[in-house]
Amino acid sequence: MLNRKIIRDIWKNKSQFITIFLMVFLAVFAFAGVHAYMDGMRESSRIYYENQNLQDIWLTSKNFTNDKLEEIKKIDNVKNVERLFTINANVINPERFINPDTNKELSDLVLECNFIETNEINKIYVMEGEKYSKDTKGLWLDYYLAKKIGINVGDELELSIEGTNFKEKVVGLVEVPDHVYFIKDDTAIFPTHTDYGFCYLSINEFPKDLYVFPYAIVDVDNDSSVDETRDKIKEKVEGIITATLRDDNFSYEGYKREAEEGETYSGVFSGLFVFIAILSVVTTMNRFVKKERTQIGTLKALGIKRNRIVRMYVNYGFFISVIASVLGIILGNLLIGKFFLEMEMEYYEIPSYDIATIPLVYYVAIGIVLVITLVTYLSCIRILKEPAATALRIERPKVKVRENSFTTKKLFNKLSLSTKWNIRDIIRSKGRTMMAIVGIAGCTMLVVTAFGMLDSMKSYVSWEFDVINNFKYKLSLSSDYTDAQYNEIISKYGDSTSQTMGVEFKHNDEVIIKPLTINDTKGLLQVTDHHRKTFTMKDDGIYITEKMSSMYNLKVGDMVEWHVVGSNNWYKTKIVGVNRDPQAQQFNCTKKFFDTLNEEYKPDNIYTNEDLSNIKEIHGVNTIQTVNNLKDSMNSMLNMMYSLIALLIGVSVILAVVIIYNLGIMSFSEKEYQFATLKVLGFKYKHIKEIFIKQNVWIGIFAVIIALPLGNFMTDYIFKNAIGDSYDFEAMIKPITFIFSGIGTFVVVYIVNQLLAKKIKKIDMVSSLKGNE
């Protein structure tokens, strides 16, 4: 009998049970899907780094001789050390390759050439072709680059290194763990895999007779002592310029930061989905059980055991939430997880990756089921504690006289009947009203945040490429360019130059490495203040970026003790100003100030507004970059964010519609008796409809007003906490975004309630009034 009642109740209240299912499903679907790809990123990289033995320490020196390698190997906890020589090479005749993003011929193609001896650390992962051997002629090429522009094993490339041309056969397509994430230079934001890549060659293939090994990589036995090992190497081995750990490596840190950033903003969104859905479902189940009050009393009066009644009502929420949660996890992994992991990995070079489901996802799903089950149980128990005779009667609303005292005032009496009726109803149904406000405000906030992230990223791109980068072309100079080459370049393209070098500065008891950019660009590389306005730097000290100033509690007027990495000259310099940079936290100064120090200024970049579109190679220049290409690279990366935002908007809108519809059903079912009474009293349909819609419109407007600033706050929170230490920008949401989000939510509220208002015509006055006697 009870089983038939369950089926009959579900069918009778199918709208409510469908909304319960959808709310739980959407919450788990979003939470599980986002975690599937973020945790998949982390787990895939962990396995890759471990299997290919990613180095623990990176070392630089003027030259790592065999004797120096032996010194390093003798240090405690050093398992192995290898040396390498890295230099950029230009590919001759790059126009034979097509950039698939623009469908045009490549104007330049640069390879970072790594000449190595052995390969026990940072092992090459061969995707196609031969395994690495020191005695094998040829090169092992970046797999992603090769596949994107159409290079295959067996193809021959002609390379140019500092004026020396040589040919090499592609013997393998590879990926390497310390090149998971890499970019052309500091002006590029994301890898494009079209005009820049890496390759590995045996040191025997180096085209010149003389070479040195300025880089070495170290593998340690005990990861917990890696800091101590690094310090011992710097202390005991003479000539070590820098010794950095994994967290300081650009590739490792960049990939890790992306995973952490994604976890922050996706966690905020998916957490809100779960919170809003649980709140809505819990309220719905509580209302449903209260609506069944007389039937519970009837079952109790008929002598049916209390445990059977409780079990029957608990099953309503339990089984629906279990089914919705299981489907949410499965489809979230398959649809969201796999889709976004594939998109994310277009920018990161990991040979094997897959989604991952961590225990937290299961805990959240189980938690949702338990909360719904518990609320249903408590609601049912509360009714069963009453005598059967009491439970058979409708529960009278608890109205406090003081709360309604203002309804006797003259001002209140001047209001229309529908307004007075709704004010009283809101006061009597505070829980339902608060739930409606929270649900609508939460969904609006999600939409504002999703669109706000898009606005903010576009604002960041404009700041970086339309304000700071005030040039058309950037020439990255070779490390060993000659004076003759330099003079020829500046005579043709101008002398707007800069140099970026590593400096160490003392902060409390630490020595911290940060970049210092010496700016002599004549306004082509600009600096901006907090409000993104450009200004001219003074010549009597150094500047520090705003975020770096905050991180290390350094302010204008403070003295900083620092030295250029590799130099023994320490300086105490006054901080004379603060500038703000969206993607580089560093020190800045003018060349005029730098010339007062005992250091050599050797430019590494030249900026120009000359037309270099037909120039393919310049002697003494490694790469020629156009600011438009850099901007296009950034916009192409935003395509992934567009897709993620589209998903978040889609889920937010669906969740909003479901919640608003569910709240409307709850509101209608609770007022059905009153509406039936009004119909008996002769009120026309349009008057009752006005009463029903007016309250929900009020709630919708109030919720939207609350949600708009909260959406701005959440967007700002995401950008301040999700992005890495090297970035500095906040929420910049356009007014049209607030208008669109607010009006859009209000329109959904209005349309849903218009549709629900049609149920008023179908109210059976006799059954509605008799059923509550």
Side-chain angles (χ1 to χ4, degrees), residues 7-21:
I7 296 172
R8 186 171 60 249
D9 284 346
I10 290 176
W11 178 253
K12 182 181 177 181
N13 300 280
K14 55 184 177 292
S15 296
Q16 281 182 282
F17 284 109
I18 289 173
T19 57
I20 290 171
F21 173 86

Side-chain angles (χ1 to χ4, degrees), residues 431-661:
R432 170 167 49 80
T433 302
M434 287 303 301
M435 179 56 237
I437 292 172
V438 171
I440 297 171
C443 295
T444 307
M445 184 168 59
L446 289 171
V447 174
V448 171
T449 304
F451 280 110
M453 288 174 65
L454 182 60
D455 287 347
S456 301
M457 287 304 297
K458 288 182 176 180
S459 173
Y460 156 67
V461 172
S462 177
W463 181 12
E464 179 66 31
F465 296 104
D466 297 335
V467 179
I468 293 177
N469 293 336
N470 191 35
F471 55 85
K472 291 182 179 179
Y473 288 88
K474 175 183 175 180
L475 310 180
S476 298
L477 301 177
S478 304
S479 58
D480 59 348
Y481 63 82
T482 64
D483 289 341
Q485 288 173 336
Y486 176 73
N487 291 330
E488 184 179 356
I489 293 169
I490 63 173
S491 67
K492 290 183 178 179
Y493 309 116
D495 61 350
S496 297
T497 63
S498 75
Q499 181 184 3
T500 299
M501 59 179 64
V503 299
E504 290 184 321
F505 75 97
K506 293 181 180 179
H507 176 67
N508 297 331
D509 296 328
E510 295 182 88
V511 176
I512 301 169
I513 298 178
K514 284 291 179 179
L516 165 67
T517 294
I518 305 147
N519 191 322
D520 190 34
T521 63
K522 318 300 191 291
L524 296 188
L525 183 64
Q526 305 198 96
V527 289
T528 58
D529 61 16
H530 177 78
H531 301 290
R532 307 186 181 188
K533 302 296 184 182
T534 60
F535 67 92
T536 302
M537 290 193 293
K538 300 176 183 177
D539 302 320
D540 55 350
I542 62 173
Y543 285 73
I544 186 172
T545 52
E546 190 173 295
K547 188 169 186 177
M548 187 174 161
S549 169
S550 176
M551 288 170 60
Y552 299 108
N553 194 28
L554 294 171
K555 57 186 181 297
V556 175
D558 288 349
M559 301 297 290
V560 177
E561 189 173 358
W562 61 280
H563 77 111
V564 176
V565 173
S567 169
N568 294 322
N569 300 321
W570 283 85
Y571 306 98
K572 281 190 176 180
T573 304
K574 184 179 180 181
I575 297 176
V576 296
V578 174
N579 69 292
R580 194 174 183 200
D581 194 293
Q583 69 167 9
Q585 306 315 310
Q586 60 180 21
F587 292 108
N588 295 277
C589 71
T590 64
K591 179 179 179 297
K592 188 173 181 180
F593 167 76
F594 191 76
D595 286 341
T596 63
L597 307 177
N598 188 26
E599 301 291 342
E600 178 189 5
Y601 176 70
K602 187 178 181 180
D604 51 18
N605 292 296
I606 294 177
Y607 307 85
T608 181
N609 285 326
E610 298 290 331
D611 184 8
L612 304 182
S613 56
N614 295 321
I615 305 296
K616 297 180 180 179
E617 185 176 1
I618 301 173
H619 292 301
V621 174
N622 265 342
T623 57
I624 303 171
Q625 294 175 288
T626 166
V627 72
N628 289 330
N629 287 342
L630 297 174
K631 190 173 182 179
D632 290 342
S633 298
M634 180 62 191
N635 287 326
S636 68
M637 179 61 182
L638 287 179
N639 288 334
M640 192 194 75
M641 180 168 280
Y642 297 153
S643 300
L644 181 59
I645 288 172
L647 170 72
L648 295 173
I649 292 171
V651 175
S652 299
V653 170
I654 294 172
L655 192 62
V657 171
V658 170
I659 288 176
I660 292 168
Y661 182 77

